């Protein structure tokens, strides 16, 4: 696999230098992040958000304001790093899951012509103590396609499409003909539903596909935008997108080097949006039973703090596109790679959202 960069136009130069070539890189699950290096090009990339662009521009309007403390004059002051209380609730850490591939594609448009409802993901990264933007961070996102398949792991993903063409009568519809549906315990069935630990352990990629994966740099305001498609679902998990935030590295002509992952999380979608999407092809062709948001074992039912996206879309026609936004409050000095013992399972289905 050769790491490469998608050559889009951009107002921001990620590296300030010319394109650099990358050698073949295999995924390393528990790699030393100080050696983390990804290839980027100097031109940068701009997201062609189309009709969703106007919505993305105002995606953070009306978001929760930082906690404030009264001053002697009656004015409000944002809590500082030295205050006893953080200015913003820390975004929940979650499992990395088994299907992470380290910074393979440096791009903001991760669609690769995959079918699905257009999704513009507008993210902001801030320090939870100071509420200052975290600029220059490397943000990874990855998720399954409209039918529950992960790139790089197509043979391990259960998906949810119909029976393959020519399948004999009575063949299972949730897996290719010949694939057992009663999978023995321990075999991968999409992403394990357990929210604790390392999410069942990392799996080595089974193919060279890399659609719906990408990494990009936060700007001076801590913002980054991705263009993708609304994810589908697979057995045992609600609709979600994975993310990592890497800090303290250095963007160079050769790539992003050093640093550590200060946040590993997941983004979630409310039930109304998922139900609307499920009526649109290709989502409507899925035969996989869907896990709802309240049934999911990884989402902690805490709303935006737990990764629940703020969504904007035409309620009468979701197929036109969706804009999802979220501010991630992180601890830049901490290391959260999604495989450490500090990752807690999600709350039970009875927990309040």
């Amino acid at each position: 696999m050769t790491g490469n960069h998608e050559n889009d136009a951009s107002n921001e130069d990620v590296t300030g230098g010319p394109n650099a070539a990358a050698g073949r890189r295999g995924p390393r699950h528990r790699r030393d992040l100080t050696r983390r290096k990804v290839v980027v090009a100097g031109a940068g990339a701009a997201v062609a958000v189309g009709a969703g662009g106007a919505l993305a521009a105002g995606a953070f309007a009306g978001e929760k304001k930082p906690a404030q403390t009264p001053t002697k004059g009656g004015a409000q002051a944002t809590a500082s790093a030295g205050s006893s209380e953080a200015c913003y609730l820390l975004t929940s850490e979650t499992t990395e899951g088994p299907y992470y591939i380290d910074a393979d594609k440096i791009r903001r448009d991760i669609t690769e012509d995959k079918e699905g409802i257009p999704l513009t993901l507008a993210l902001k990264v801030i320090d939870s103590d100071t509420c200052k933007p975290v600029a220059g961070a490397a943000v990874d996102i990855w998720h399954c396609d409209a039918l529950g398949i992960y790139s790089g792991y197509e043979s391990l993903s259960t998906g949810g499409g119909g029976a393959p063409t020519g399948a004999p009568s009575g063949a299972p519809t949730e897996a290719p003909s010949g694939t057992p549906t009663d999978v023995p315990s321990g075999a991968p069935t999409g992403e394990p539903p357990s929210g604790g630990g390392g999410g069942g352990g990392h799996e080595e990629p089974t193919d060279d596909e890399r659609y719906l994966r990408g990494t990009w740099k936060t700007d001076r305001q801590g913002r980054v935008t991705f263009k993708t498609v609304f994810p589908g679902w697979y057995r045992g998990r609600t609709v979600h997108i994975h993310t990592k935030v890497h800090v303290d590295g250095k963007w160079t002509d050769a790539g992003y080097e050093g640093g550590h992952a200060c946040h590993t999380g997941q983004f979630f979608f409310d039930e109304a949006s998922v139900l609307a999407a499920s009526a649109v092809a290709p989502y409507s062709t899925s035969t996989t039973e869907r896990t709802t948001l309240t049934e999911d074992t990884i989402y902690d039912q805490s709303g935006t703090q737990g990764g629940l996206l703020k969504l904007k879309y035409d309620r009468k026609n979701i197929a036109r596109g969706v804009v999802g936004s979220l501010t991630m409050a992180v601890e830049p000095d901490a290391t959260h790679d999604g495989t450490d013992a500090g990752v807690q399972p999600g709350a039970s289905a009875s927990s309040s959202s």
Side-chain angles (χ1 to χ4, degrees), residues 5-156:
H5 181 283
E6 306 298 327
N7 294 318
D8 302 325
S10 175
N11 292 327
E12 179 187 7
D13 189 338
V14 172
T15 66
N19 292 357
R24 182 177 180 87
R25 293 168 51 83
R28 300 176 184 175
H29 175 50
R30 299 182 183 277
R31 66 187 299 173
D32 181 357
L33 285 176
T34 62
R35 298 195 299 270
R36 185 175 185 272
K37 183 175 181 180
V38 295
V39 176
V40 299
V47 180
V49 296
L55 289 175
F60 297 99
E63 69 179 4
K64 181 175 64 176
K65 301 296 183 183
Q68 295 180 324
T69 54
T71 63
K72 291 182 178 179
Q76 298 293 318
T78 301
S80 67
S83 301
S84 59
E85 216 173 285
C87 77
Y88 207 97
L89 291 174
L90 192 67
T91 301
S92 301
E93 299 295 326
T94 72
T95 176
E96 174 186 274
Y99 300 151
Y100 175 58
I101 299 176
D102 185 20
D104 180 64
K105 293 283 189 179
I106 310 303
R107 58 186 180 179
R108 291 195 287 185
D109 184 345
I110 67 173
T111 309
E112 288 196 21
D113 297 323
K114 295 299 290 184
E115 290 186 83
I117 297 169
L119 171 65
T120 299
L121 199 58
L123 307 173
K124 185 177 181 181
V125 184
I126 64 170
D127 185 314
S128 65
D129 283 336
T130 66
C131 273
K132 292 181 178 179
V134 179
V139 178
D140 300 329
I141 67 166
W142 70 101
H143 62 86
C144 69
D145 68 9
L147 293 179
I149 303 297
Y150 277 93
S151 66
Y153 299 90
E154 291 185 339
S155 66
L156 297 182

Side-chain angles (χ1 to χ4, degrees), residues 307-321:
L308 186 64
L309 291 167
K310 298 178 181 180
L311 303 176
K312 293 183 179 181
Y313 59 93
D314 184 344
R315 295 303 193 270
K316 296 181 179 179
N317 186 10
I318 193 173
R320 294 181 59 187

